[in-house]
Amino acid sequence: MSVDLATVKRVAHLARIAVTDEDAARMEGELNVILGFVEQLSEVDVEGIEPMTSVTPMAMRKRTDAVTDGSKAEDIVANAPETTDNFFLVPKVVE
């Protein structure tokens, strides 16, 4: 896959990036090099290879999954005009 000058200008327009004709010509070559590298990567056999989260082996730090109310209910409703049992009271609207 390769890109042409019109594609570079269209992508720049979609990204809202001002690109001169000289820059677009340079970017065309750079993007084609990048796409060529991506095509090379698709040729690599990765069957049986585990996905990595990092280039160095490490254990993921995880927190316990506990449901809490945050102990901030009183603080959240403190400035509300009307509350009851830590809930906001709002007028009933029927149309």
Side-chain angles (χ1 to χ4, degrees):
M1 177 180 195
S2 65
V3 296
D4 57 356
L5 190 59
T7 304
V8 172
K9 287 184 178 182
R10 184 169 190 276
V11 170
H13 174 72
L14 291 172
R16 306 290 193 262
I17 300 172
V19 176
T20 63
D21 289 339
E22 182 181 300
D23 287 339
R26 181 180 48 81
M27 288 179 185
E28 178 185 0
E30 291 175 358
L31 288 172
N32 283 324
V33 169
I34 292 169
L35 291 174
F37 179 69
V38 172
E39 286 178 2
Q40 278 184 317
L41 289 177
S42 67
E43 297 173 3
V44 176
D45 180 25
V46 292
E47 189 68 33
I49 306 295
E50 290 290 322
M52 296 174 24
T53 57
S54 175
V55 293
T56 57
M58 65 173 65
M60 296 291 290
R61 293 186 295 173
K62 298 178 184 176
R63 64 174 173 81
T64 57
D65 191 15
V67 177
T68 66
D69 66 354
S71 301
K72 298 211 176 266
E74 293 87 14
D75 296 337
I76 292 170
V77 298
N79 292 328
E82 294 184 47
T83 64
T84 184
D85 296 326
N86 293 327
F87 290 99
F88 295 101
L89 291 179
V90 295
K92 185 175 183 178
V93 177
V94 178
E95 292 184 20

